[in-house]
Amino acid sequence: MLLIPAIDLKGGQCVRLQQGLMDRATVFSDEPAKMAMHWCQQGARRLHLVDLDGAFAGKPENMISIKAILEHVADNVPVQIGGGIRDLHTIEQYLQLGLSYVIIGTAAVNNPRLVQQACAAFPGKIIVGLDAKDGMVAVDGWATVTDFHVTELAKRFADDGVNSIIYTDIGRDGMMSGVNVEATVRLAQETSVPVIASGGVTSMADVEALCAVAEQGVIGAIVGRAIYEGSLDLAAAQRMADQNKC
């Protein structure tokens, strides 16, 4: 199982939000590229970028920082990105820059055909991000909660050829309250698409809990505030996941 450090970009800085609220941002670095290199040195085998400004604007807003990160790490680890990806042109632009995977979130909900078109045009490169509050999918940078249940939408994308689904429990994201293993496993069980957990991964106990359900389709976990604040040692956690062969 992969532990994937998150680098959330806001105004060119590396930040972490609480429950997706832009006015509850903690700045961890003014140099995101150096942060990316740090996590690679700690043993990260993939990085997760989020253009937070782009998520609200509906278009890339942190391109300078994204390019700098790729220049430093793209030759060593795959990098995935989400936030404000609404069309095929943006997807192609990101892949040409050297990103390995592109995450479609809001657009996957509002325009499911885009997922079909993207998977056909860029096989193996498309991840769908489903962010939920109390099981209901949220869009537009988590500003709007829809009437769609997360498992309902996940099933729709199962036949499109998506690489995986990132499931984020908004209520736990950035709150250091532990990962929602039950909901994550339930989603993995109800769709044939591999699931990456996100939101609330705080401790080695969370990693152990996810390792225990890896065989049910949970292939990785995105880690954020915990590794920035030190409650979770990324290198030690990845070693444990490898030793558990999960």
Side-chain angles (χ1 to χ4, degrees), residues 5 9 27 54 63 66 68 70-71 76 110 132 146 152 155 163 167 176 185 196 202 207 212 217 230 235:
L9 301 169
V27 177
M63 194 62 78
I66 293 165
L70 292 174
E71 287 173 2
N76 300 313
N110 295 336
T146 72
E152 174 189 351
K155 290 177 182 178
N163 175 281
Y167 169 63
M176 305 286 283
V185 172
I196 297 172
T202 302
V207 177

PDB file of all heavy atoms in Angstrom, residues 5 9 27 54 63 66 68 70-71 76 110 132 146 152 155 163 167 176 185 196 202 207 212 217 230 235:
ATOM      1  N   PRO A   5       2.153  11.460   0.134  1.00  0.00           N
ATOM      2  CA  PRO A   5       2.123  12.797   0.743  1.00  0.00           C
ATOM      3  C   PRO A   5       1.358  13.791  -0.128  1.00  0.00           C
ATOM      4  O   PRO A   5       1.511  13.822  -1.353  1.00  0.00           O
ATOM      5  CB  PRO A   5       3.606  13.178   0.826  1.00  0.00           C
ATOM      6  CG  PRO A   5       4.338  11.881   0.806  1.00  0.00           C
ATOM      7  CD  PRO A   5       3.531  10.995  -0.095  1.00  0.00           C
ATOM      8  N   LEU A   9      -1.599  23.365  -2.764  1.00  0.00           N
ATOM      9  CA  LEU A   9      -1.047  24.643  -3.215  1.00  0.00           C
ATOM     10  C   LEU A   9      -2.088  25.752  -3.145  1.00  0.00           C
ATOM     11  O   LEU A   9      -3.179  25.638  -3.705  1.00  0.00           O
ATOM     12  CB  LEU A   9      -0.531  24.511  -4.645  1.00  0.00           C
ATOM     13  CG  LEU A   9       0.561  23.458  -4.856  1.00  0.00           C
ATOM     14  CD1 LEU A   9       0.806  23.223  -6.343  1.00  0.00           C
ATOM     15  CD2 LEU A   9       1.853  23.867  -4.153  1.00  0.00           C
ATOM     16  N   VAL A  27      -0.025  27.444   6.674  1.00  0.00           N
ATOM     17  CA  VAL A  27       1.086  27.447   5.712  1.00  0.00           C
ATOM     18  C   VAL A  27       2.243  26.641   6.292  1.00  0.00           C
ATOM     19  O   VAL A  27       2.706  26.905   7.396  1.00  0.00           O
ATOM     20  CB  VAL A  27       1.552  28.882   5.396  1.00  0.00           C
ATOM     21  CG1 VAL A  27       2.748  28.853   4.445  1.00  0.00           C
ATOM     22  CG2 VAL A  27       0.415  29.693   4.784  1.00  0.00           C
ATOM     23  N   GLY A  54      -7.174  26.550  -7.960  1.00  0.00           N
ATOM     24  CA  GLY A  54      -7.775  26.040  -9.183  1.00  0.00           C
ATOM     25  C   GLY A  54      -9.107  25.363  -8.937  1.00  0.00           C
ATOM     26  O   GLY A  54     -10.014  25.419  -9.771  1.00  0.00           O
ATOM     27  N   MET A  63       0.455  27.137 -11.570  1.00  0.00           N
ATOM     28  CA  MET A  63       1.289  26.473 -12.556  1.00  0.00           C
ATOM     29  C   MET A  63       2.787  26.646 -12.284  1.00  0.00           C
ATOM     30  O   MET A  63       3.570  25.719 -12.517  1.00  0.00           O
ATOM     31  CB  MET A  63       0.956  26.980 -13.959  1.00  0.00           C
ATOM     32  CG  MET A  63       1.529  26.121 -15.072  1.00  0.00           C
ATOM     33  SD  MET A  63       0.893  24.426 -15.055  1.00  0.00           S
ATOM     34  CE  MET A  63      -0.717  24.661 -15.804  1.00  0.00           C
ATOM     35  N   ILE A  66       3.701  24.137  -9.660  1.00  0.00           N
ATOM     36  CA  ILE A  66       3.565  22.779 -10.201  1.00  0.00           C
ATOM     37  C   ILE A  66       4.757  22.435 -11.084  1.00  0.00           C
ATOM     38  O   ILE A  66       5.345  21.351 -10.977  1.00  0.00           O
ATOM     39  CB  ILE A  66       2.237  22.646 -10.979  1.00  0.00           C
ATOM     40  CG1 ILE A  66       1.050  22.763 -10.016  1.00  0.00           C
ATOM     41  CG2 ILE A  66       2.186  21.320 -11.741  1.00  0.00           C
ATOM     42  CD1 ILE A  66      -0.273  23.001 -10.697  1.00  0.00           C
ATOM     43  N   ALA A  68       7.727  23.756 -10.980  1.00  0.00           N
ATOM     44  CA  ALA A  68       8.933  23.656 -10.146  1.00  0.00           C
ATOM     45  C   ALA A  68       9.008  22.294  -9.458  1.00  0.00           C
ATOM     46  O   ALA A  68      10.080  21.674  -9.395  1.00  0.00           O
ATOM     47  CB  ALA A  68       8.940  24.775  -9.110  1.00  0.00           C
ATOM     48  N   LEU A  70       7.659  19.464 -10.497  1.00  0.00           N
ATOM     49  CA  LEU A  70       7.950  18.443 -11.507  1.00  0.00           C
ATOM     50  C   LEU A  70       9.410  18.467 -11.930  1.00  0.00           C
ATOM     51  O   LEU A  70      10.019  17.415 -12.159  1.00  0.00           O
ATOM     52  CB  LEU A  70       7.037  18.648 -12.727  1.00  0.00           C
ATOM     53  CG  LEU A  70       5.551  18.373 -12.482  1.00  0.00           C
ATOM     54  CD1 LEU A  70       4.743  18.762 -13.708  1.00  0.00           C
ATOM     55  CD2 LEU A  70       5.316  16.906 -12.130  1.00  0.00           C
ATOM     56  N   GLU A  71       9.987  19.639 -12.027  1.00  0.00           N
ATOM     57  CA  GLU A  71      11.397  19.744 -12.407  1.00  0.00           C
ATOM     58  C   GLU A  71      12.300  19.037 -11.402  1.00  0.00           C
ATOM     59  O   GLU A  71      13.348  18.502 -11.764  1.00  0.00           O
ATOM     60  CB  GLU A  71      11.798  21.222 -12.524  1.00  0.00           C
ATOM     61  CG  GLU A  71      11.225  21.917 -13.758  1.00  0.00           C
ATOM     62  CD  GLU A  71      11.496  23.412 -13.752  1.00  0.00           C
ATOM     63  OE1 GLU A  71      12.165  23.894 -12.796  1.00  0.00           O
ATOM     64  OE2 GLU A  71      11.050  24.099 -14.690  1.00  0.00           O
ATOM     65  N   ASN A  76      11.825  10.881 -10.657  1.00  0.00           N
ATOM     66  CA  ASN A  76      12.033   9.873  -9.613  1.00  0.00           C
ATOM     67  C   ASN A  76      10.746   9.215  -9.116  1.00  0.00           C
ATOM     68  O   ASN A  76      10.745   8.027  -8.792  1.00  0.00           O
ATOM     69  CB  ASN A  76      12.750  10.523  -8.422  1.00  0.00           C
ATOM     70  CG  ASN A  76      14.094  11.087  -8.807  1.00  0.00           C
ATOM     71  OD1 ASN A  76      14.883  10.428  -9.466  1.00  0.00           O
ATOM     72  ND2 ASN A  76      14.363  12.318  -8.392  1.00  0.00           N
ATOM     73  N   ASN A 110     -20.371  16.734 -12.396  1.00  0.00           N
ATOM     74  CA  ASN A 110     -21.193  17.600 -13.244  1.00  0.00           C
ATOM     75  C   ASN A 110     -21.211  17.184 -14.705  1.00  0.00           C
ATOM     76  O   ASN A 110     -22.160  17.487 -15.436  1.00  0.00           O
ATOM     77  CB  ASN A 110     -20.694  19.053 -13.136  1.00  0.00           C
ATOM     78  CG  ASN A 110     -20.875  19.617 -11.745  1.00  0.00           C
ATOM     79  OD1 ASN A 110     -21.727  19.155 -10.982  1.00  0.00           O
ATOM     80  ND2 ASN A 110     -20.084  20.615 -11.401  1.00  0.00           N
ATOM     81  N   ALA A 132     -16.693  13.384   0.037  1.00  0.00           N
ATOM     82  CA  ALA A 132     -18.026  13.239   0.606  1.00  0.00           C
ATOM     83  C   ALA A 132     -18.125  13.774   2.030  1.00  0.00           C
ATOM     84  O   ALA A 132     -17.188  13.664   2.819  1.00  0.00           O
ATOM     85  CB  ALA A 132     -18.447  11.774   0.572  1.00  0.00           C
ATOM     86  N   THR A 146     -23.842  17.825  -2.926  1.00  0.00           N
ATOM     87  CA  THR A 146     -24.848  17.390  -3.885  1.00  0.00           C
ATOM     88  C   THR A 146     -25.819  16.381  -3.263  1.00  0.00           C
ATOM     89  O   THR A 146     -25.697  16.035  -2.092  1.00  0.00           O
ATOM     90  CB  THR A 146     -24.177  16.742  -5.111  1.00  0.00           C
ATOM     91  OG1 THR A 146     -23.654  15.454  -4.733  1.00  0.00           O
ATOM     92  CG2 THR A 146     -23.054  17.608  -5.641  1.00  0.00           C
ATOM     93  N   GLU A 152     -22.944   5.538  -5.156  1.00  0.00           N
ATOM     94  CA  GLU A 152     -23.744   5.615  -6.382  1.00  0.00           C
ATOM     95  C   GLU A 152     -22.894   6.125  -7.540  1.00  0.00           C
ATOM     96  O   GLU A 152     -22.920   5.570  -8.651  1.00  0.00           O
ATOM     97  CB  GLU A 152     -24.938   6.537  -6.149  1.00  0.00           C
ATOM     98  CG  GLU A 152     -25.771   6.826  -7.393  1.00  0.00           C
ATOM     99  CD  GLU A 152     -26.804   7.907  -7.158  1.00  0.00           C
ATOM    100  OE1 GLU A 152     -26.995   8.322  -5.984  1.00  0.00           O
ATOM    101  OE2 GLU A 152     -27.418   8.361  -8.136  1.00  0.00           O
ATOM    102  N   LYS A 155     -19.936   3.671  -8.726  1.00  0.00           N
ATOM    103  CA  LYS A 155     -20.370   2.582  -9.597  1.00  0.00           C
ATOM    104  C   LYS A 155     -20.480   3.047 -11.053  1.00  0.00           C
ATOM    105  O   LYS A 155     -20.230   2.277 -11.982  1.00  0.00           O
ATOM    106  CB  LYS A 155     -21.706   2.027  -9.113  1.00  0.00           C
ATOM    107  CG  LYS A 155     -21.599   1.256  -7.804  1.00  0.00           C
ATOM    108  CD  LYS A 155     -22.977   0.791  -7.335  1.00  0.00           C
ATOM    109  CE  LYS A 155     -22.889   0.058  -6.011  1.00  0.00           C
ATOM    110  NZ  LYS A 155     -24.229  -0.363  -5.526  1.00  0.00           N
ATOM    111  N   ASN A 163      -8.289   4.800 -13.468  1.00  0.00           N
ATOM    112  CA  ASN A 163      -7.176   4.135 -12.785  1.00  0.00           C
ATOM    113  C   ASN A 163      -7.541   3.777 -11.348  1.00  0.00           C
ATOM    114  O   ASN A 163      -7.236   2.681 -10.863  1.00  0.00           O
ATOM    115  CB  ASN A 163      -5.952   5.056 -12.813  1.00  0.00           C
ATOM    116  CG  ASN A 163      -4.783   4.522 -12.033  1.00  0.00           C
ATOM    117  OD1 ASN A 163      -4.737   4.623 -10.815  1.00  0.00           O
ATOM    118  ND2 ASN A 163      -3.813   3.953 -12.733  1.00  0.00           N
ATOM    119  N   TYR A 167     -11.071   8.603  -2.370  1.00  0.00           N
ATOM    120  CA  TYR A 167     -12.236   8.898  -1.529  1.00  0.00           C
ATOM    121  C   TYR A 167     -11.795   9.730  -0.330  1.00  0.00           C
ATOM    122  O   TYR A 167     -10.989   9.283   0.490  1.00  0.00           O
ATOM    123  CB  TYR A 167     -12.897   7.602  -1.049  1.00  0.00           C
ATOM    124  CG  TYR A 167     -13.929   7.842   0.028  1.00  0.00           C
ATOM    125  CD1 TYR A 167     -15.060   8.603  -0.236  1.00  0.00           C
ATOM    126  CD2 TYR A 167     -13.757   7.325   1.312  1.00  0.00           C
ATOM    127  CE1 TYR A 167     -16.006   8.842   0.750  1.00  0.00           C
ATOM    128  CE2 TYR A 167     -14.701   7.545   2.302  1.00  0.00           C
ATOM    129  CZ  TYR A 167     -15.819   8.311   2.015  1.00  0.00           C
ATOM    130  OH  TYR A 167     -16.747   8.555   2.994  1.00  0.00           O
ATOM    131  N   MET A 176      -7.128  15.603  12.043  1.00  0.00           N
ATOM    132  CA  MET A 176      -6.334  14.703  12.877  1.00  0.00           C
ATOM    133  C   MET A 176      -7.228  13.798  13.724  1.00  0.00           C
ATOM    134  O   MET A 176      -6.948  13.515  14.887  1.00  0.00           O
ATOM    135  CB  MET A 176      -5.406  15.513  13.789  1.00  0.00           C
ATOM    136  CG  MET A 176      -4.495  16.487  13.062  1.00  0.00           C
ATOM    137  SD  MET A 176      -3.153  15.674  12.193  1.00  0.00           S
ATOM    138  CE  MET A 176      -2.061  15.300  13.569  1.00  0.00           C
ATOM    139  N   VAL A 185     -13.684   1.132   3.019  1.00  0.00           N
ATOM    140  CA  VAL A 185     -13.816  -0.273   2.643  1.00  0.00           C
ATOM    141  C   VAL A 185     -15.145  -0.526   1.944  1.00  0.00           C
ATOM    142  O   VAL A 185     -15.211  -1.248   0.946  1.00  0.00           O
ATOM    143  CB  VAL A 185     -13.686  -1.184   3.888  1.00  0.00           C
ATOM    144  CG1 VAL A 185     -14.019  -2.615   3.525  1.00  0.00           C
ATOM    145  CG2 VAL A 185     -12.290  -1.100   4.451  1.00  0.00           C
ATOM    146  N   ILE A 196      -8.242   4.813  -3.112  1.00  0.00           N
ATOM    147  CA  ILE A 196      -7.194   5.450  -2.314  1.00  0.00           C
ATOM    148  C   ILE A 196      -7.885   6.262  -1.225  1.00  0.00           C
ATOM    149  O   ILE A 196      -8.720   7.117  -1.518  1.00  0.00           O
ATOM    150  CB  ILE A 196      -6.305   6.364  -3.173  1.00  0.00           C
ATOM    151  CG1 ILE A 196      -5.579   5.544  -4.244  1.00  0.00           C
ATOM    152  CG2 ILE A 196      -5.289   7.115  -2.307  1.00  0.00           C
ATOM    153  CD1 ILE A 196      -4.823   6.387  -5.260  1.00  0.00           C
ATOM    154  N   THR A 202      -3.839   9.760  10.490  1.00  0.00           N
ATOM    155  CA  THR A 202      -3.158  10.511  11.540  1.00  0.00           C
ATOM    156  C   THR A 202      -2.017   9.764  12.207  1.00  0.00           C
ATOM    157  O   THR A 202      -1.043  10.371  12.631  1.00  0.00           O
ATOM    158  CB  THR A 202      -4.195  10.923  12.624  1.00  0.00           C
ATOM    159  OG1 THR A 202      -5.214  11.703  12.011  1.00  0.00           O
ATOM    160  CG2 THR A 202      -3.541  11.723  13.737  1.00  0.00           C
ATOM    161  N   VAL A 207      -2.689   3.574   9.664  1.00  0.00           N
ATOM    162  CA  VAL A 207      -2.014   2.853   8.586  1.00  0.00           C
ATOM    163  C   VAL A 207      -2.234   1.352   8.751  1.00  0.00           C
ATOM    164  O   VAL A 207      -2.523   0.635   7.787  1.00  0.00           O
ATOM    165  CB  VAL A 207      -0.505   3.185   8.562  1.00  0.00           C
ATOM    166  CG1 VAL A 207       0.197   2.375   7.478  1.00  0.00           C
ATOM    167  CG2 VAL A 207      -0.294   4.679   8.319  1.00  0.00           C
ATOM    168  N   ALA A 212      -4.953  -3.629   6.929  1.00  0.00           N
ATOM    169  CA  ALA A 212      -5.796  -4.783   7.211  1.00  0.00           C
ATOM    170  C   ALA A 212      -6.893  -4.976   6.175  1.00  0.00           C
ATOM    171  O   ALA A 212      -7.432  -6.076   6.031  1.00  0.00           O
ATOM    172  CB  ALA A 212      -6.418  -4.649   8.602  1.00  0.00           C
ATOM    173  N   GLY A 217      -9.369  -3.935  -1.724  1.00  0.00           N
ATOM    174  CA  GLY A 217      -9.368  -2.926  -2.774  1.00  0.00           C
ATOM    175  C   GLY A 217      -8.872  -1.558  -2.382  1.00  0.00           C
ATOM    176  O   GLY A 217      -8.917  -0.623  -3.186  1.00  0.00           O
ATOM    177  N   GLY A 230       4.016  16.019  12.375  1.00  0.00           N
ATOM    178  CA  GLY A 230       4.880  15.056  13.037  1.00  0.00           C
ATOM    179  C   GLY A 230       4.199  13.947  13.808  1.00  0.00           C
ATOM    180  O   GLY A 230       4.881  13.142  14.459  1.00  0.00           O
ATOM    181  N   ALA A 235       8.342   7.859   6.603  1.00  0.00           N
ATOM    182  CA  ALA A 235       9.271   6.777   6.272  1.00  0.00           C
ATOM    183  C   ALA A 235       8.945   5.513   7.076  1.00  0.00           C
ATOM    184  O   ALA A 235       8.909   4.406   6.533  1.00  0.00           O
ATOM    185  CB  ALA A 235      10.709   7.223   6.543  1.00  0.00           C
TER     186      ALA A 235
END
